[in-house]
Amino acid sequence: MTEIKGALDTTTARELCDYVAAVTAKHGHLLNLIVDLSELTWADTGGLAALMSVRAMLEEDERELRLVCPEGRVERLLRDSGLAQALPVHPSLEAALAAPRTTVANRMGGAVL
């Protein structure tokens, strides 16, 4: 499992998008991606935009993005910005894994990033 640690901002946003593109290209059969933000300490608008870009990229291929983000600064940022309504945010990996799938992924397996 890969976690995002530190900051997700304008300078690191492209890295996230590129990484997800590489993982999904390599593992084309996987439809769910769980990104663990538990170790993220900061995100700015560039980072939030990257999460929405990842979501859009995945949805083009009928894949689903789920975020793990426990209560704290980043979770409040997701909630206050409205992204928590657009992206499934779960307080733990267990909750993200247990959540029902909302796309074609209902019939397929997933991966944890």
Side-chain angles (χ1 to χ4, degrees):
M1 181 168 109
T2 300
E3 300 171 325
I4 299 175
K5 296 181 180 183
L8 180 58
D9 54 23
T10 304
T11 58
T12 59
R14 181 82 252 150
E15 293 174 33
L16 172 63
C17 293
D18 291 346
Y19 179 76
V20 170
V23 168
T24 57
K26 184 176 179 179
H27 303 285
H29 63 287
L30 300 174
L31 295 174
N32 285 340
L33 293 176
I34 299 173
V35 177
D36 190 343
L37 304 177
S38 299
E39 297 295 320
L40 193 66
T41 56
W42 171 253
D44 67 9
T45 56
L48 298 180
L51 293 174
M52 291 304 292
S53 293
V54 166
R55 175 187 171 211
M57 177 176 41
L58 294 173
E59 286 182 349
E60 284 179 11
D61 295 326
E62 298 182 343
R63 299 175 193 222
E64 183 177 272
L65 172 65
R66 297 179 189 180
L67 303 177
V68 173
C69 190
E71 224 177 274
R73 176 188 293 182
V74 175
E75 183 270 336
R76 282 189 303 278
L77 178 62
L78 292 172
R79 189 173 15 114
D80 293 347
S81 69
L83 283 177
Q85 293 175 338
L87 298 169
V89 178
H90 304 279
S92 67
L93 177 58
E94 294 76 20
L97 290 169
R101 294 182 183 107
T102 60
T103 65
V104 138
N106 284 319
R107 298 184 301 277
M108 305 292 286
V112 177
L113 291 180

